[in-house]
């Protein structure tokens, strides 16, 4: 239960924030604060503060205008402080992360009366490695990783040396904090790779530059922060390392996942394994060439000498097996001779995720070799790390260990990734559970052919249920669109959220009767592609000269075809997504509206979410067709096959609910503020003629409906 003192603290903080920021209290916001506070304060814990109850998660759909960020901060922060926990706020996009960090948290700190500190958490790879920067400033001669691998990939030249000099000076005099994102200009990926490390390559406290380390300086800020702002990917990465590596232990945290509808897809991407055969052969060849140098530098240590002696045998065993994988993959993809002239790439998915027996046998053999190689490289890396410790006497000079650890750790990481992929191909799937998706991709790497094997779970539900919801002390999942067809089942199924958690759709502050949802006479079934295209062109011709329009297309080909078919005078009012960068397009659109001119944005799916054009900047949203995703990606197609094999209907179970979410998001572009009004036009007649159409319409906000020009009663 929420005790009176805590309840009073939250209510007083809310009043102060409303007064300080001159905000109007919103019913949905108050409900959200109450629901979060009740859920989190009601979590039962033992004497050590470990959670013992299992009703510790609340899932709240709250539309635009609810004031979600302030609601969850005001409710969760006092509870977190009272329970001795840290609040981790994770967003899916950089834009929202910056808003939370630079607007919402400073406003809360200034006006709420709650005493707290906050910090931004980023992965190690976003920070410069001072040791690497120092080596680069010296010309890189002492860094064998640079000479053996990275210089072969990208010599960098004068550009790299000029960048290094600027970074070194700015970091040395304190003008730069050492993170990639705060550098005023974009840093090329190839350059940045040479200046950062992953968790395997980092030597932590054993590093001679530990005291000046940008990552660990930022970590020290995290250690004292009450609120940590992160993103979904960092939380998932930390959990995959066992939790508590970059972020605090999940059992000591209350997590808030804003933009929570992205979490299942983020998790799926995170647990996908890939292996590029050509890339592996390249790094094995480089390793082979480096063996003499490795032996000269490290074989003075007896265990390292023995481990190094086994590497030639592992490489000799791997190279022919990878050659077999290359040939077999091309054969299975129907391109034994490689890609045809002019063919950019080709993908081959294994039906129901079942790899053929020959590939499974080959995967089993590769699995054994990569397991042995991983163990060897891990043992080598462990000895190199020990050699950095002044209290350990391994027989290897510290300078040699420090110089060679980045390379050995890099190779260890690659061997582990390869092991995980081949394990996914060699092993079968548990009976009764969805199969893994397995596929291969043929493409070109410069002038050379490349073959990539990939494997992914088709659902992240089990992993999230165990490693996230099972591990966190408490959690809030929120977004403007969490339900599909008005229900939470699709999200529960994808995100592993249990039925016993608390679910609520909060009322919107907007008056949706200020907008009209129209299915006009021009709307046709998109199955008639040419007729549908003509209908769209005719509709654009009929738009008012000064309208501010967002027209959403489901395919780039149709967008271009409609743009091409427009008369020249009308085409001049169109700003097409694939012609301009997003930010520039929005800027031009706003400028035209400010000048009293008409403007029509032609956008694809990404414009159906995250575009904020309030008031006169957007008065008409046109959706050219219902946003059904074709499950042709390997993960979606494999899941659809599995559902069908069990007597289910993947279209009704996946496609329709997912289209419902996307349709709500697209319609949500129109009403961004309480005074907004306008029109939404749907140019797809299937919403009236198919049995799922009524369900899609009923899941939308209560707009005034107009069918074939006639208002619905």
């Amino acid at each position: 239960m929420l005790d009176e003192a805590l309840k009073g603290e939250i209510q007083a903080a809310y009043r102060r924030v409303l007064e300080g920021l001159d905000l109007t209290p919103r019913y949905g916001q108050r409900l959200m604060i109450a629901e979060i506070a009740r859920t989190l304060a009601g979590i039962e814990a033992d004497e050590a503060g470990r959670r013992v109850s299992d009703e510790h998660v609340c899932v709240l759909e709250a539309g635009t205008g609810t004031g979600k960020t302030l609601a969850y901060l005001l409710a969760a922060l006092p509870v977190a402080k009272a329970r001795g926990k840290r609040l981790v706020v994770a967003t899916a996009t950089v834009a929202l992360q910056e808003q939370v960090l630079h607007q919402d948290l400073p406003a809360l700190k200034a006006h709420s009366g709650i005493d707290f500190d906050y910090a931004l958490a980023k992965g190690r790879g976003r920070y410069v490695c001072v040791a690497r920067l120092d080596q680069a400033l010296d010309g890189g001669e002492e860094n064998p990783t640079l000479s053996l691998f990275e210089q072969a990939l990208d010599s960098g030249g004068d550009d790299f040396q000029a960048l290094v000099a600027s970074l070194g000076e700015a970091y040395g005099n304190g003008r730069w904090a050492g993170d990639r994102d705060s550098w005023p200009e974009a840093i090329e990926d190839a350059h940045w790779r040479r200046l950062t490390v992953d968790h395997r390559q980092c030597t932590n406290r054993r590093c001679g530059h530990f005291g000046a380390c940008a990552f660990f300086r930022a970590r020290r800020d995290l250690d004292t922060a009450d609120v940590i702002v992160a993103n979904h990917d960092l939380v998932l990465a930390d959990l995959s390392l066992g939790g508590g590596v970059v972020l605090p232990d999940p059992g000591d945290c209350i997590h808030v996942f804003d933009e929570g509808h992205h979490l299942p897809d983020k998790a799926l991407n995170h647990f996908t394994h890939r292996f590029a055969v050509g890339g592996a052969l390249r790094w094995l060849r480089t390793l082979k060439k480096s063996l003499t140098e490795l032996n000269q530098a490290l074989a003075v240590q007896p265990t390292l000498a023995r481990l190094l002696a086994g590497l030639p045998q592992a490489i000799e065993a791997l190279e022919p097996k990878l050659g077999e994988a290359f040939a077999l993959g091309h054969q299975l993809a129907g391109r034994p001779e490689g890609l045809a002239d002019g063919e950019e790439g080709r993908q081959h998915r294994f039906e129901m995720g079942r790899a053929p027996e020959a590939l499974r046998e080959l995967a089993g053999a590769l699995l054994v070799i990569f397991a042995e190689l991983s163990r060897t490289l891990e043992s080598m890396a462990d000895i190199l790390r020990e050699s950095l410790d002044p209290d350990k006497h391994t027989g290897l000079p510290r300078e040699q260990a420090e110089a060679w650890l980045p390379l050995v750790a890099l190779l260890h990481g690659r061997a582990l990734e390869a092991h995980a992929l081949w394990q996914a191909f060699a092993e079968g799937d548990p009976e009764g559970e969805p199969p893994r998706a397995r596929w291969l991709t043929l493409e070109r790497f410069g002038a050379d052919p490349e073959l990539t094997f990939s494997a992914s779970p088709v659902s992240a539900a089990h992993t999230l249920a165990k490693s996230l919801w099972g591990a966190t002390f408490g959690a809030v999942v929120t977004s403007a669109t969490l339900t599909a067809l008005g229900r939470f089942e699709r999200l529960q199924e994808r995100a592993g959220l249990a039925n016993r958690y608390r679910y609520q759709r909060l009322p919107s502050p907007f008056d949706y009767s200020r907008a009209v949802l129209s299915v006009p006479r021009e709307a046709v079934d998109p199955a008639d592609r040419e007729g549908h295209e003509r209908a769209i062109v005719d509709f654009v011709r009929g738009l008012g000269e000064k309208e501010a329009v967002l027209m959403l297309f489901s395919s780039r080909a149709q967008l271009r075809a409609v743009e091409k078919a427009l008369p020249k005078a009308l085409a001049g009012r169109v700003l097409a997504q694939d012609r301009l960068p997003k930010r520039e397009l929005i800027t031009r659109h706003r400028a035209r509206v400010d000048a009293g001119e008409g403007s029509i944005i032609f956008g694809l799916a990404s414009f159906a979410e995250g575009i904020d054009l309030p008031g006169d900047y957007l008065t008409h949203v046109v959706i050219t067709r219902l946003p059904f995703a074709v499950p042709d990606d390997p993960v979606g197609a494999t899941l659809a096959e599995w559902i069908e094999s069990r007597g289910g209907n993947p279209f009704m179970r996946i496609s329709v609910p997912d289209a419902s979410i996307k349709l709500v998001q697209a319609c949500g572009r129109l009403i961004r503020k309480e005074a907004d009004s306008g029109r939404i036009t749907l140019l797809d007649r299937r919403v009236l003629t198919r049995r799922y159409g009524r369900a899609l319409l009923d899941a939308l906000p209560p707009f005034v409906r107009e069918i074939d020009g006639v208002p619905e009663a």
Side-chain angles (χ1 to χ4, degrees), residues 67 135 145 375 386 561 589 620:
Q135 286 163 348
T145 307
R375 281 194 292 271
E386 276 190 31
H589 173 80
H620 196 165

Side-chain angles (χ1 to χ4, degrees), residues 648-665:
N649 181 338
F651 181 74
M652 293 306 292
R653 188 166 154 188
I654 301 173
S655 301
V656 174
D658 287 358
S660 172
I661 292 171
K662 289 174 184 168
L663 192 59
V664 170
Q665 286 171 341

